[in-house]
Amino acid sequence: MAEAVIQCQRLCKEFQRGQTRVVALQDVEAIINRGEFHALMGPSGSGKSTLLHLIAGIDKPTTGSLMVLGENPAELREKALARWRNAHLGFVFQAFNLIPVLTAVENVELPLKLTQLNRKQRREHATTALRLVGLEDRMHHFPRQLSGGQEQRVGMARAIDTDPDLILADEPTGNLDAASAHEVLTLLRRLNSEFGKTIVMVTHDPNAAAVAGIVHHLDKGRMARRVDRGSGHDGYEAQAAGSANEEKPST
């Protein structure tokens, strides 16, 4: 029986900008099971990054229910939330977010400093993660000595060295050339297919989304369409149709 890692029920997020109320997410319903690879697609402002931030506990929903790995991130206090993230989540960022004055292996070790591992164990874990992404020979290089693709692979090694239950990737290929993007996407697919990692990736690139098993298309804060690449099944037609009807002006 499938184990739900993420469950969204009528999830809504609103922001107040001056006198304007902005609806970022509206009545989002989604279930993501362990071992699945999901991509969130949509134009700028569609709500895909907002949804990723809610899953990570970076922001809180306005209404609705969100459970991630059996926890409601919005209800966790700051220290408990930090511990929960470090134990269960791995992050891959568009801008890499590496510390310039630290070497590759030192950057990868950073999340491990919040664990009970000693210095030798942290180095062993970081080295193993860099070996997995093909950068063991660059472990003592600083970020400025690496290509963009190599920096992102260091970021991926950092994301997996705590053996997280869930990997969240926010536009991981957005700053990369085609060849480097292919390398990063191949690694993500391998993490999912060979190591069974659950992955949620935000992207605007159809080529990137193609590596995911399930693709969600967001539009104006709603789940407009779901494509299951394994079955060829399209979902959310009824919700999308309902949204269209709601948005039609009355005559």
Side-chain angles (χ1 to χ4, degrees):
M1 188 173 181
E3 177 189 353
V5 172
I6 300 170
Q7 294 176 288
C8 305
Q9 293 181 318
R10 298 190 66 83
L11 194 65
C12 298
K13 178 62 183 177
E14 299 177 358
F15 298 96
Q16 195 71 31
R17 292 180 180 169
Q19 301 299 316
T20 305
R21 181 174 64 92
V22 178
V23 179
L25 291 173
Q26 187 169 359
D27 293 331
V28 169
E29 301 269 350
I31 296 177
I32 296 175
N33 294 316
R34 187 173 295 277
E36 293 179 341
F37 190 160
H38 289 241
L40 305 178
M41 290 195 72
S44 179
S46 62
K48 56 188 186 297
S49 291
T50 298
L51 180 55
L52 199 74
H53 292 168
L54 295 182
I55 292 170
I58 296 170
D59 208 344
K60 296 182 180 182
T62 304
T63 60
S65 171
L66 173 63
M67 298 297 293
V68 183
L69 295 163
E71 293 280 0
N72 183 344
E75 294 182 350
L76 295 175
R77 294 178 179 272
E78 187 174 347
K79 288 185 178 180
L81 181 61
R83 288 194 297 268
W84 174 78
R85 281 199 199 106
N86 197 63
H88 299 291
L89 306 186
F91 295 91
V92 181
F93 304 97
Q94 178 178 352
F96 317 140
N97 288 3
L98 301 181
I99 307 299
V101 296
L102 299 181
T103 63
V105 71
E106 289 169 340
N107 268 283
V108 174
E109 282 181 330
L110 281 177
L112 298 173
K113 292 190 174 183
L114 298 176
T115 70
Q116 300 299 315
L117 298 176
N118 61 38
R119 183 176 181 180
K120 180 181 179 182
Q121 291 170 324
R122 292 198 302 268
R123 181 54 57 95
E124 290 173 350
H125 277 246
T127 301
T128 298
L130 285 168
R131 184 182 303 122
L132 180 63
V133 301
L135 286 179
E136 186 178 14
D137 61 337
R138 297 288 190 272
M139 62 186 295
H140 297 299
H141 286 58
F142 292 94
R144 66 179 180 275
Q145 298 172 310
L146 303 172
S147 68
Q150 289 172 336
E151 285 189 88
Q152 187 59 290
R153 285 153 63 193
V154 172
M156 292 178 67
R158 180 184 56 196
I160 63 175
D161 66 355
T162 59
D163 193 22
D165 296 290
L166 174 62
I167 295 174
L168 303 177
D170 192 359
E171 297 280 8
T173 61
N175 288 346
L176 303 180
D177 59 38
S180 297
H182 177 74
E183 291 178 352
V184 167
L185 293 171
T186 299
L187 280 170
L188 285 171
R189 183 164 49 193
R190 184 183 174 200
L191 289 170
N192 173 249
S193 61
E194 294 184 24
F195 297 91
K197 292 301 179 184
T198 307
I199 301 175
V200 180
M201 175 180 66
V202 164
T203 183
H204 67 279
D205 182 1
N207 293 322
V211 306
I214 298 171
V215 180
H216 303 267
H217 294 266
L218 286 84
D219 185 40
K220 297 178 181 177
R222 291 181 179 269
M223 287 291 199
R225 185 179 175 216
R226 166 181 164 141
V227 179
D228 187 329
R229 295 186 179 278
S231 66
H233 171 71
D234 283 15
Y236 300 138
E237 293 95 337
Q239 184 176 337
S243 300
N245 290 335
E246 290 173 11
E247 292 168 8
K248 287 182 179 179
S250 57
T251 56

